[in-house]
Amino acid sequence: MVDEADVNEFLARIAGDLSNQVGELTTDLVELYARELPHLVHDDESVVSLLSASLFQNIDTALRIFVHGIDPTRVEAPAAAMEYARRLAQRGTPVIDLIRAYYLGQTAILNHALTQATRLADDPVLLGGMMSKALTGTFAFIDRVTRQVVSAYQEERDRWLLNRSALRAARVRELLEGDGQELDAVETALSYRLRGTHLAMIVWHAVEPAQGNALGSLESVTAALGEGLPTTGLPLLVPADERCAWVWFPLEKAVLPQEEDVQRVLEKAEPTVRLVLGDPGEGIEGFRRSHRQAGRVHALSTAAGEQCERALTFRDVGALALMASDVAATRSWVGDILGELATDDEQHERLRETLLVFLATGGSYTAAAAKLTMHKNSVQYRVRKAEETLGRAVTDNRLDVELALKLCQRLGSAVLLAP
């Protein structure tokens, strides 16, 4: 078994030898990036210069860890590395490219270390111990530094998005308020064509996201959703605040995204993300109307809190959104219509769900059973129990009952009665 002191001494020697070649190693990594991440190298001269400075300082810092026996978990990311991360954020470079650059660099430097080590020692046990120590140390260093540079990237991205969008946000608010503006000038300022079909969306974090990259993640959700739509250009995204954005998609035709596409996007997004959609509209008035509709549904979702579905559309819940502007009054009305059936427990929830599907399928026990994947007799039993709880047949006041059931489904405990 190799002695740990011998391993540390040998590793320090290897790192010391490589420390004399930091300039050459930096050049090698730039050439590696030119092959693997060419857009990082074929960029503005000042940015590429900053990349080289970041590489030089990171390599130098990593080697000093092994030369001097420094704890890698206590090392701070070099200044050039932090600034390079911020510059990439400003230029819209995906953060995954920054992370990949670090792991490509780690692999390349470890290969140099192994080549150097095999020239200086032929003891496989010593070589194995050295590489194990080197792998553990470099991983700890890369993990520590990437956490810091990604955090700097995310903070800069949010700040930059807010600053860049300040003028656009002011123009959009004026446009929504109906102030007279010259159309061509507004389109130029927004980099968005107002002549056409628009679909408005409001996307936000219900609570502060764990990753701290609020606007950046909302931008990613917007881009992902836009990929499934027949758009004529890039969406217009305007931050409403640090956790919420207003979005418009320019469409070739008036369509909404498929429900499965929306759910797929949300599954990949942070769990705090919520979104609502208006109906598509034509021209400037359609731009405004679609946003007003999304705003009403946003108010509905906010009132419902955590019980609400993560994605809602005005087409599905427009009437509910108008009713739910006063939640206290809505809760009282739901109680008047449904009575005990509005109780917030599992038993009454099952009855409400069955009754709502029964009404939505035209009062057909067979169709409701198929949709609920239940036996027809079970549907009949639940509908009968629901009517007993209501104290009357659902046909007596069908429209109000169906609306009240939908409010319970969408708003949950916000309008339900305590058991």
Side-chain angles (χ1 to χ4, degrees), residues 384-405:
R384 185 171 66 252
K385 289 292 292 183
E387 289 184 322
E388 289 174 2
T389 306
L390 284 170
R392 62 182 183 280
V394 293
T395 53
D396 290 349
N397 197 11
R398 176 171 178 158
L399 179 59
D400 283 352
V401 169
E402 191 166 1
L403 280 174
L405 289 170

Side-chain angles (χ1 to χ4, degrees), residues 140-159:
F141 170 73
I142 293 296
D143 183 63
R144 168 82 171 172
V145 171
T146 53
R147 284 174 182 269
Q148 294 178 49
V149 297
V150 167
S151 178
Y153 174 100
Q154 292 172 337
E155 289 174 4
E156 181 64 20
R157 185 68 177 160
D158 280 356
R159 186 197 66 78

